[in-house]
Amino acid sequence: SDCSKAPCSIDVKASDETKIFALAGSVAGSSETAVGLAFAVNGVNDQTEAKATNSNWTVPQGASFDANSSATIYSLAIGGGGSGGLAVFGSTTFNRVANETTASLSGVTQGDSPWLNVNAEDNAQISSLAGSIAGAGEAAIGLAIAVNVIADGAHATIDSSTLDVPGSLTDQATGTSTIKSLAAAGGGAGEAAIGGSSTTNVIRNTVEAGMTNVGQSDNNSNDTTIKAVDTPTIRSLAGSVQIGGEGGVGVAIAVNVIADTTHAYLFGTADGSSGPAYVAGDVLVDAESDATIQTIAVGVGASGVVAGAGSISVNVLSDGVTAEINNGAQVTADENVGVTASNTDKLDTYAGQ
């Protein structure tokens, strides 16, 4: 093709990469009373967008719109020390990622161009550790708390557009989120040792790929794929070990929630009225979710007189996965039309003392 007077292709890319490394620590010692606290608070809230609005083009080698976002948080909070009398130590780490990644076309006309790709990819990872170590001649108290939240969005959408794509059209949104969390409290005292650890982790993402009010005529060689893929993972450990000469109490709590929404759609119009004709060879609308929670909560208490231990593990998997052709869509395919949705949830949990 002659590209001397016009571009051969359109390639629009937007990318964002954020990394946070955080360390908070406290160390204290005293012959009578020692107190130490450590806090780490981190947040990422970015927006990444690749888009075209109210435009028209004809390019011999196709068009691509890609938005890619990556956020990583490494957080460590540790408090520890000792005292001849009373020792009180605690650590807390709070981390949140709330990114929005969007690739979109709105009000565009693409002339005879062999392919069109609209792709939004979001990646988020949090690795956190909250630890507390306390030792005292009389009494030791330790607490470790870790809270982690990912609430991202990945959106790949085409709306109110007219297309002429004789080759492949791919509209895909992908979300990958991982939380790795450890909360641990250890203590020892000549008389009483009391400690607890808690890790709370939440992933609540929205991953959507869709077309609304999009028309295409006389393109029975076109392959259209609309796909939303979500892969959230939580791995957490809460542990508390407390040893006292007269009393030892250790408690561990792990709470994990995955409540994502994964949606792939081809709509006629937003209000449900009849949409424009969409003609293709093959049409696939596919939504996939693969969620995993792996967690351990262990509390240990030991004493020559009174010992107590407890562990609690609460896990919630509440994903919504939907694939649909709806709202007055007028779809004609020369070969196949597929609408598929799959949801795979995996849960491994252990709570003991």
Side-chain angles (χ1 to χ4, degrees):
S1 301
D2 183 8
C3 302
S4 59
K5 298 182 180 179
C8 277
S9 63
I10 295 175
D11 190 8
V12 178
K13 292 184 178 181
S15 63
D16 175 75
E17 182 177 3
T18 303
K19 291 185 178 182
I20 295 176
F21 299 86
L23 170 63
S26 68
V27 179
S30 172
S31 59
E32 296 183 0
T33 302
V35 178
L37 299 174
F39 297 93
V41 179
N42 308 287
V44 181
N45 187 8
D46 294 341
Q47 294 186 359
T48 306
E49 188 171 21
K51 68 177 182 179
T53 58
N54 302 322
S55 306
N56 64 83
W57 61 77
T58 300
V59 286
Q61 294 183 10
S64 177
F65 296 81
D66 294 288
N68 187 291
S69 176
S70 175
T72 305
I73 296 177
Y74 299 96
S75 180
L76 174 64
I78 296 180
S83 169
L86 173 65
V88 180
F89 290 93
S91 64
T92 299
T93 174
F94 177 82
N95 308 286
R96 185 175 187 267
V97 179
N99 287 346
E100 292 291 329
T101 306
T102 303
S104 65
L105 305 181
S106 179
V108 307
T109 300
Q110 175 164 317
D112 184 3
S113 302
W115 50 264
L116 173 63
N117 292 331
V118 179
N119 180 66
E121 184 173 351
D122 177 81
N123 297 277
Q125 178 176 319
I126 297 175
S127 299
S128 72
L129 168 63
S132 174
I133 301 175
E138 295 181 4
I141 300 173
L143 183 65
I145 299 174
V147 178
N148 305 290
V149 178
I150 297 177
D152 284 6
H155 314 273
T157 60
I158 305 173
D159 70 85
S160 303
S161 298
T162 302
L163 306 178
D164 184 2
V165 184
S168 65
L169 187 157
T170 301
D171 180 46
Q172 180 163 333
T174 305
T176 304
S177 298
T178 302
I179 294 177
K180 300 177 182 178
S181 178
L182 170 62
E191 295 184 6
I194 301 173
S197 64
S198 172
T199 175
T200 301
N201 308 287
V202 178
I203 298 178
R204 192 183 296 271
N205 293 335
T206 298
V207 180
E208 66 165 348
M211 300 198 310
T212 302
N213 194 28
V214 175
Q216 179 171 249
S217 61
D218 300 328
N219 251 321
N220 56 14
S221 62
N222 167 267
D223 290 329
T224 295
T225 300
I226 302 171
K227 193 168 188 176
V229 181
D230 182 41
T231 310
T233 302
I234 295 176
R235 295 184 173 93
S236 68
L237 170 62
S240 178
V241 179
Q242 307 296 324
I243 301 173
E246 297 182 4
V249 178
V251 178
I253 301 173
V255 178
N256 305 291
V257 178
I258 295 178
D260 287 4
T261 299
T262 308
H263 190 199
Y265 60 89
L266 198 166
F267 286 166
T269 59
D271 61 9
S273 59
S274 181
Y278 190 85
V279 181
D282 293 283
V283 175
L284 173 63
V285 181
D286 179 47
E288 303 175 10
S289 176
D290 187 356
T292 301
I293 293 178
Q294 296 174 323
T295 183
I296 297 175
V298 178
V300 177
S303 171
V305 180
V306 178
S311 61
I312 299 173
S313 177
V314 178
N315 303 284
V316 178
L317 285 163
S318 178
D319 297 331
V321 184
T322 306
E324 57 181 326
I325 297 177
N326 209 336
N327 286 26
Q330 306 295 316
V331 179
T332 302
D334 190 58
E335 296 292 338
N336 303 296
V337 175
V339 180
T340 59
S342 64
N343 184 20
T344 303
D345 290 338
K346 297 184 288 290
L347 174 60
D348 297 319
T349 181
Y350 174 80
Q353 57 188 49

